[in-house]
Amino acid sequence: ATFPAMFYGMYNLYQNGAILRGNTVERPTRTTLSTFYGIYISTSCTNMLVEKNRVRNPYQTATTNTGTAYGIYNVSAGTAGNENRVYNNLVYDMNSAGIVYGIYANSYNKIYHNTVSLDHTGSTATGATYSIYCTGGVTTDIRNNIVSLTRGGTGTKYCLYYTGLPATSNN
C-alpha cells in the first residue's frame, strides 16, 4: 500500500510499552509528497519509549514543497506514571517551504536530550516553524534539549512553543 509510505515513517496506535529505538526515518527519493509524519504516535499509546532515532529528509526531492512536516508527532496522552518518553532523538534536514514541527507533543510526556536542527536557510516558507511544540501543559516535562533554528523564509519561528506551561522546561 502506498498510503502509509507517503505520509508516515512509523505509525503507532494502541501501544503500551512499545520501544522505537535506533531507526532512521526518511523518504529521500519519494516524488509524490504531502504531509510527513516521521514518527506518528496517537490513540491510546502509553509508556512508549522513542529513543535514539534520526528523522530527516522528508522532502529531499522537492525542497519547495509546502506540505507540513512533523519529525516526531505524539498526540497520545500517556498517564501519570506511564508517560510517553522521547529521549535522545535527532530531527534535522527538514528542508521544505511548508510548516515544520520538529517535535509535536501532547500531555504526559517526558522530552529529554533531543536535538532538533531546523536550519534550511534556503527555505522560502511563509508558515511557522516550531522546534518543540507542546500542547500538554503541566503534565509534560521538557529537559536538556538542543535546538537550532536558522530556517529561512518569512514565517514565524519558535524554538519552544507551549499552549500551556509545562511542568518542567529547562536547559
Side-chain angles (χ1 to χ4, degrees):
T2 58
F3 176 76
M6 282 199 250
F7 299 104
Y8 308 102
M10 301 171 77
Y11 186 89
N12 299 273
L13 304 173
Y14 303 103
Q15 299 295 315
N16 181 11
I19 298 172
L20 308 176
R21 179 184 292 139
N23 300 285
T24 298
V25 179
E26 62 183 346
R27 55 179 188 187
T29 60
R30 178 158 290 284
T31 56
T32 304
L33 301 168
S34 181
T35 302
F36 171 76
Y37 300 91
I39 298 174
Y40 181 92
I41 301 167
S42 185
T43 313
S44 300
C45 287
T46 60
N47 197 30
M48 291 190 65
L49 176 60
V50 179
E51 176 182 54
K52 299 178 184 175
N53 299 289
R54 294 175 183 258
V55 180
R56 64 183 186 204
N57 295 328
Y59 299 105
Q60 186 168 326
T61 60
T63 59
T64 59
N65 187 289
T66 58
T68 301
Y70 300 89
I72 299 172
Y73 180 81
N74 180 1
V75 294
S76 183
T79 60
N82 292 297
E83 294 86 354
N84 291 314
R85 294 157 293 147
V86 179
Y87 296 165
N88 298 308
N89 296 284
L90 178 57
V91 177
Y92 65 106
D93 285 343
M94 304 293 278
N95 300 341
S96 74
I99 297 169
V100 174
Y101 298 86
I103 298 173
Y104 186 106
N106 198 347
S107 302
Y108 291 101
N109 283 282
K110 293 183 178 184
I111 302 171
Y112 298 172
H113 308 289
N114 299 284
T115 299
V116 179
S117 178
L118 304 179
D119 295 332
H120 180 210
T121 57
S123 176
T124 58
T126 58
T129 304
Y130 306 91
S131 294
I132 298 176
Y133 182 102
C134 181
T135 64
V138 298
T139 58
T140 297
D141 191 2
I142 300 172
R143 299 176 190 231
N144 302 321
N145 296 283
I146 298 171
V147 174
S148 176
L149 178 52
T150 59
R151 188 173 189 224
T154 59
T156 307
K157 295 157 187 75
Y158 303 95
C159 289
L160 302 171
Y161 187 94
Y162 304 134
T163 61
L165 294 177
T168 304
S169 177
N170 68 13
N171 301 327

